[in-house]
Amino acid sequence: MGKKILILFSLWTISTFGQDKSADSITTRVTDRNIKFKYEALIIPTTLIAYGVIGLESHTLKDINSDTKDEINEHIDNKFTIDDFSQYSTFLSVYALNAAGIKGKNNFKDRTIILGTAYLIMGTTVNIIKHTSNEMRPDGTSNNSFPSGHTATAFMGAEFLYQEYKDVSVWYGVAGYVVAAGTGFFRMYNDRHWFSDVAAGAGIGILSTKIAYWVHPLIKKTIFKKKENLNGVIMPIYNGKQYGLGMSMSF
């Protein structure tokens, strides 16, 4: 029997493991020693994260949070929980497109390792910060508002979609980022997050995927070196309060 790994794709749990040879994020050469960042690709995600962190203490940014909340609340009639599902649609689109015969950059094995790595990085980062930042949600229900995990998941998937399909058409990535931005908006619309929470979540999501592509050659070489086949199934998870996705992989 081969090894088996169970990856739980859920906003409230930590998941799994992932490459990129593109000039957009990381430049890699034949040897691992020559792997290097293209630093300008990190400007946007690190800026978003910095904005969110500063927003925890800055009175000016807190005022922007409050003003944004008030502006959105003026136009709210009903709550829409579409963000509970749209957060996953960006990375699931990669698998849907491949199933439809529109091939992306990587095969199933490599893109799944990359996605698992990105989710592990993103999920670990978000959960650690949530349990240490002590930021109250706009609706006052809990003090784990910062950063937005839904938004982080959506932007992680949007960058994943972009990286896999930018050589086919950049519009796939654009569509993914539109959906991710919509997810962030609905987190504020539903009074679950402040603007700074959403900004930080977006930055964490993008950065997690970029790092996943960067470290993928090393992970593939050291962990999955002799594993040619990777099979898996994705399934929904619901525990009465929280939604998520589960993936069982065997290799």
Side-chain angles (χ1 to χ4, degrees), residues 18-21 28-29 32 35 212-222:
Q19 153 187 38
D20 184 5
K21 299 176 184 175
T28 63
R29 298 183 183 178
D32 294 334
I35 295 176
Y213 275 91
W214 173 59
V215 301
H216 178 63
L218 180 61
I219 290 176
K220 184 177 180 181
K221 178 179 178 181
T222 57

Side-chain angles (χ1 to χ4, degrees), residues 22-27 36-48 159 163 206-207 210:
S22 70
D24 176 72
S25 56
I26 307 298
T27 301
K36 60 181 181 179
F37 282 105
K38 189 173 182 181
Y39 292 100
E40 53 266 36
L42 306 180
I43 292 175
I44 292 177
T46 53
T47 299
L48 290 169
E159 179 66 16
Q163 292 294 336
I206 296 170
L207 186 59
K210 288 185 179 295

Side-chain angles (χ1 to χ4, degrees), residues 154-209:
F155 275 88
M156 177 205 71
E159 179 66 16
F160 178 56
L161 178 61
Y162 169 71
Q163 292 294 336
E164 288 296 308
Y165 281 95
K166 65 180 180 180
D167 294 333
V168 178
S169 173
V170 70
W171 291 106
Y172 289 113
V174 171
Y177 270 100
V178 169
V179 172
T183 300
F185 171 78
F186 275 103
R187 294 309 284 166
M188 295 185 291
Y189 182 90
N190 291 323
D191 221 17
R192 296 295 289 162
H193 284 290
W194 305 101
F195 178 74
S196 56
D197 301 338
V198 169
I204 291 171
I206 296 170
L207 186 59
S208 296
T209 299

Side-chain angles (χ1 to χ4, degrees), residues 31-236:
T31 62
D32 294 334
R33 295 177 183 177
N34 290 325
I35 295 176
K36 60 181 181 179
F37 282 105
K38 189 173 182 181
Y39 292 100
E40 53 266 36
L42 306 180
I43 292 175
I44 292 177
T46 53
T47 299
L48 290 169
I49 294 170
Y51 180 94
V53 172
I54 294 172
L56 291 172
E57 299 295 336
S58 169
H59 293 296
T60 299
L61 297 189
K62 284 181 178 291
D63 288 341
I64 293 176
N65 284 341
S66 297
D67 291 343
T68 302
K69 177 181 182 296
D70 293 341
E71 182 65 26
I72 292 175
N73 284 343
E74 286 182 6
H75 303 90
I76 287 182
D77 295 319
N78 298 295
K79 301 287 186 180
F80 294 100
T81 58
I82 189 174
D83 43 299
D84 285 336
F85 306 97
S86 64
Q87 60 173 322
Y88 302 114
S89 64
T90 48
F91 68 77
L92 287 178
S93 296
V94 174
Y95 292 89
L97 288 168
N98 274 272
I102 306 173
K103 302 302 181 183
K105 179 184 297 183
N106 292 291
N107 58 31
F108 177 86
K109 172 185 174 181
D110 286 336
R111 67 174 177 267
T112 302
I113 295 171
I114 291 167
L115 177 60
T117 304
Y119 212 114
L120 176 64
I121 296 169
M122 181 277 297
T124 301
T125 303
V126 167
N127 278 281
I128 289 175
I129 298 176
K130 274 183 175 293
H131 287 88
T132 56
S133 61
N134 199 37
E135 179 78 357
M136 184 63 66
R137 290 183 184 272
D139 60 5
T141 57
S142 61
N143 63 345
N144 62 346
S145 185
F146 182 84
S148 170
H150 282 61
T151 307
T153 302
F155 275 88
M156 177 205 71
E159 179 66 16
F160 178 56
L161 178 61
Y162 169 71
Q163 292 294 336
E164 288 296 308
Y165 281 95
K166 65 180 180 180
D167 294 333
V168 178
S169 173
V170 70
W171 291 106
Y172 289 113
V174 171
Y177 270 100
V178 169
V179 172
T183 300
F185 171 78
F186 275 103
R187 294 309 284 166
M188 295 185 291
Y189 182 90
N190 291 323
D191 221 17
R192 296 295 289 162
H193 284 290
W194 305 101
F195 178 74
S196 56
D197 301 338
V198 169
I204 291 171
I206 296 170
L207 186 59
S208 296
T209 299
K210 288 185 179 295
I211 293 173
Y213 275 91
W214 173 59
V215 301
H216 178 63
L218 180 61
I219 290 176
K220 184 177 180 181
K221 178 179 178 181
T222 57
I223 301 177
F224 298 93
K225 183 177 181 180
K226 298 180 180 180
K227 308 300 180 181
E228 297 299 330
N229 298 315
L230 183 65
N231 300 304
V233 59
I234 297 175
M235 65 199 79

